Amino acid sequence: MHRELRRELWMALAITGGVAALAAVAGYPLAGVAAGLGLVAALSLRKLARLHRWLVRGRRAPIPELGGLWDEVIREIHRQDRDSERHKERLTGLFDRLQAAASVMPDAMVVLARHDVIEWANPPAERLLGLRIERDTGARIVHLIRDPAFGAYLAAGDYREPLILKGPVEPMAVTLQIIPFGANERLVMARDITHVKRLEDMRQHFVADVSHELRTPLTVLHGFLETFADLFEGQDGEVRSGIALMREQVERMRRLVDDLLALSRLETTPARAHDDVVDMGALLKGLADIATVLGADRGQRIEVENCGADLVGNVDELRSAFTNLVQNAVRHTPAGGSIRLVWRADASEGRFVVIDSGEGIAERHIPFLTQRFYRVDSDRSRASGGTGLGLAIVAKVLLRHDARLAVESVLGRGSTFTCVFPSSRLKFPPDPSRAPPPTV
C-alpha cells in the first residue's frame, strides 16, 4: 500500500513537473504548475467517478481497473464486502435455526417490540394464548389477551414471579412470565400447567376433606380425656402425666387441623370483591390483649403504636394473619423480653410490624419461612406448640390483600416481621382543616 502511494505521488509530481517545464520554455512557469496540478486532479476525479459507479451498482459489477493505489482501495472494499456477506449469511442461518428451535418448543414465546406490539410468536402461542400469528403480528398484545390480571402484570414491570391465567380453552391453566431485553423489548413465555393445577386442586381438596373429617374424632378424644383427667384426679403421678401428655398431643392435633382448614379456605375460596374498613385501633388492642394473655407467665412487655389510619380488607383474614405473627413473637421471646406492635401508614404504603427481642433467625432460613411445615428448629417449634403453618397462612392472607411480608432477623437479637400494604388498601381519617365551612 505504501509503495503504491509513493508511486502515485511520484507520477503526480512527474506530470506536474513535465507540464511546468513545457510552460517554462514557453515563458509561463506558474501557469504550467497550475495546469499540471489540474491534470492530476482531473485524472483522480475520473477514477473516483468510476469507483462511485461501481459502488452504486451494488458492487456486483466487474471490478474496474483503475491502476495504482485505487486498485488497492477497491480490492480492500471488495474483501470487506465479502466478509460482511459471509457474516450476514451466518447470522441469518443462526436466526433461522433459532426460529426453528423456538417453533418446536412446547412453551409459547412472543416477542414484544416497543409499545408491546407483537413482533414474532411461535406456533404454541396460538394454543396457549389464543393468538393468531398471521393476523395478530403487529397488534398490541393487551388488545388480544384481555384478562385484567395480565394487563396489570404487564404494566407493573415487576416480573420476578410468574402469573397464572386461564387458557383460551377451559379448563386450561397457563403460567406466564415476561423477560425484558434489548431496548424496550420483552419476551413473553407461557407454559401449560393444567395437569399441575389439577393435581394441586386435588391436593387442596384432599387436605380439606381429611382435616374436616379429623375434627370430630379429635373433639371426642379431647372430651374423653377431660373426663379421664377428672376421674383420675388424685391418682398416682404416672397416670396423670400420661393423661396430660395425651391431652397436649390432641390439642396440638386440633391446632394443626384448624390451621390446615384455614389454609385450605384461603387457597380454594376467591378473595372478597368488596372488603370492609378494618378499625386498626380496635384490632391492635385485641392483638395486644392476646399477647398479654399468652405471655402472662413470662413477664413480657407489650407495646403498641398506632398511626390512626384504617385498613381496607377482610377483617377475619387479617386478624388471623396478625395473630399468627403475634403468637410467634410471644413463643420465641424469652421471659422479660419485649414485643412491639406497630401500625404506620402514609400516602405511599401501610406497614403492620411485629418486633420482638427473641432468639432471632439465621439468615439462611428467612427465604423459606412461609413454606408449609418449614421449621427453623423442629424441637424448638414443637416445644413451643407451633404447627409450621402460621407463616404460610400469613403469606396467603397478604397475597389476597395485594401485600407482602418482609422479614429481618439477627440471631440473639430478635426479629422484625413487616406486612407491607399498598396505598390502595389504606383509609385515612378526614382532615378537619379541609372540611367545608359550616353553612349559616
Side-chain angles (χ1 to χ4, degrees):
M1 179 70 75
H2 295 294
R3 185 184 306 146
E4 294 293 336
L5 181 59
R6 286 196 297 271
R7 193 175 75 171
E8 292 283 336
L9 291 174
W10 279 115
M11 287 179 62
L13 290 173
I15 292 171
T16 305
V19 174
L22 291 174
V25 172
Y28 302 100
L30 292 178
V33 172
L37 293 175
L39 181 59
V40 171
L43 292 173
S44 298
L45 286 174
R46 182 173 176 274
K47 294 180 180 181
L48 184 61
R50 293 180 64 188
L51 174 61
H52 178 262
R53 282 197 300 272
W54 178 67
L55 293 174
V56 169
R57 290 173 184 173
R59 287 172 257 178
R60 299 192 181 278
I63 300 176
E65 293 291 339
L66 303 180
L69 182 61
W70 292 94
D71 286 343
E72 292 290 335
V73 171
I74 289 178
R75 281 194 290 270
E76 181 63 22
I77 292 175
H78 188 59
R79 184 188 65 78
Q80 292 187 8
D81 191 43
R82 287 200 313 267
D83 292 344
S84 177
E85 285 293 332
R86 285 195 292 267
H87 184 61
K88 182 179 178 180
E89 289 175 0
R90 285 197 298 269
L91 290 179
T92 302
L94 177 61
F95 180 73
D96 291 340
R97 291 195 297 274
L98 288 175
Q99 276 198 329
S103 298
V104 299
M105 287 182 62
D107 297 340
M109 299 176 64
V110 181
V111 176
L112 302 181
R114 188 184 297 271
H115 305 305
D116 302 322
V117 171
I118 297 175
E119 187 173 24
W120 176 87
N122 66 346
E126 296 189 343
R127 182 177 63 88
L128 298 181
L129 299 176
L131 304 178
R132 294 293 178 266
I133 297 175
E134 293 185 2
R135 180 195 68 189
D136 298 333
T137 300
R140 294 190 65 191
I141 194 169
V142 290
H143 295 161
L144 305 169
I145 303 177
R146 297 182 177 275
D147 192 316
F150 173 74
Y153 182 69
L154 183 66
D158 184 1
Y159 309 129
R160 290 173 295 179
E161 295 296 329
L163 174 68
I164 297 178
L165 297 174
K166 291 182 180 178
V169 179
E170 292 289 347
M172 181 185 291
V174 174
T175 178
L176 181 145
Q177 191 156 18
I178 298 176
I179 304 171
F181 73 98
N184 299 319
E185 295 178 303
R186 309 183 202 188
L187 174 65
V188 180
M189 300 190 67
R191 174 174 295 177
D192 185 357
I193 58 166
T194 306
H195 180 63
V196 177
K197 186 70 166 57
R198 188 179 296 115
L199 291 176
E200 179 65 15
D201 292 342
M202 290 174 60
R203 180 196 66 78
Q204 291 174 357
H205 286 100
F206 173 77
V207 170
D209 292 343
V210 170
S211 301
H212 183 74
E213 292 298 325
L214 284 174
R215 296 189 75 175
T216 299
L218 286 173
T219 301
V220 173
L221 282 173
H222 188 269
F224 274 111
L225 288 172
E226 291 283 349
T227 303
F228 291 157
D230 294 337
L231 289 176
F232 290 99
E233 187 175 3
Q235 298 293 324
D236 60 80
E238 186 174 349
V239 174
R240 289 200 310 276
S241 63
I243 293 175
L245 180 60
M246 285 189 288
R247 290 174 65 186
E248 179 184 337
Q249 293 303 312
V250 168
E251 185 60 32
R252 179 172 174 272
M253 284 295 296
R254 287 179 64 183
R255 288 196 301 270
L256 179 59
V257 168
D258 289 341
D259 283 351
L260 283 171
L261 287 172
L263 192 57
S264 178
R265 282 194 297 270
L266 292 171
E267 292 176 333
T268 56
T269 59
R272 285 187 179 181
H274 302 287
D275 293 311
D276 302 320
V277 177
V278 180
D279 185 346
M280 288 301 293
L283 183 55
L284 285 171
K285 183 180 183 305
L287 295 172
D289 292 341
I290 292 173
T292 301
V293 172
L294 292 176
D297 58 343
R298 303 186 183 188
Q300 295 170 342
R301 299 186 308 278
I302 311 299
E303 303 174 8
V304 177
E305 178 183 332
N306 181 16
C307 72
D310 289 329
L311 189 60
V312 177
N314 185 320
V315 63
D316 295 327
E317 293 181 5
L318 292 171
R319 183 185 293 110
S320 173
F322 295 165
T323 299
N324 272 302
L325 293 177
V326 171
Q327 289 174 341
N328 282 346
V330 172
R331 290 192 190 106
H332 301 299
T333 300
S338 64
I339 298 172
R340 293 183 61 204
L341 310 180
V342 180
W343 169 243
R344 299 192 185 103
D346 54 33
S348 60
E349 63 185 16
R351 290 173 170 259
F352 173 74
V353 189
V354 179
I355 307 169
D356 66 62
S357 60
E359 51 215 18
I361 304 167
E363 185 177 357
R364 69 179 184 276
H365 294 296
I366 291 177
F368 310 104
L369 291 178
T370 57
Q371 295 181 0
R372 297 180 185 89
F373 301 110
Y374 185 83
R375 299 178 185 274
V376 175
D377 185 335
S378 299
D379 295 335
R380 185 184 75 178
S381 297
R382 290 193 177 93
S384 63
T387 63
L389 293 173
L391 291 179
I393 292 174
V394 172
K396 287 292 182 183
V397 170
L398 294 182
L399 183 64
R400 289 161 68 92
H401 288 78
D402 313 309
R404 60 183 175 86
L405 178 66
V407 183
E408 298 177 4
S409 187
V410 178
L411 278 176
R413 297 178 58 182
S415 304
T416 300
F417 288 80
T418 305
C419 305
V420 184
F421 295 87
S423 58
S424 58
R425 288 282 178 176
L426 303 178
K427 185 174 180 61
F428 293 91
D431 187 353
S433 63
R434 296 185 178 182
T439 57
V440 179

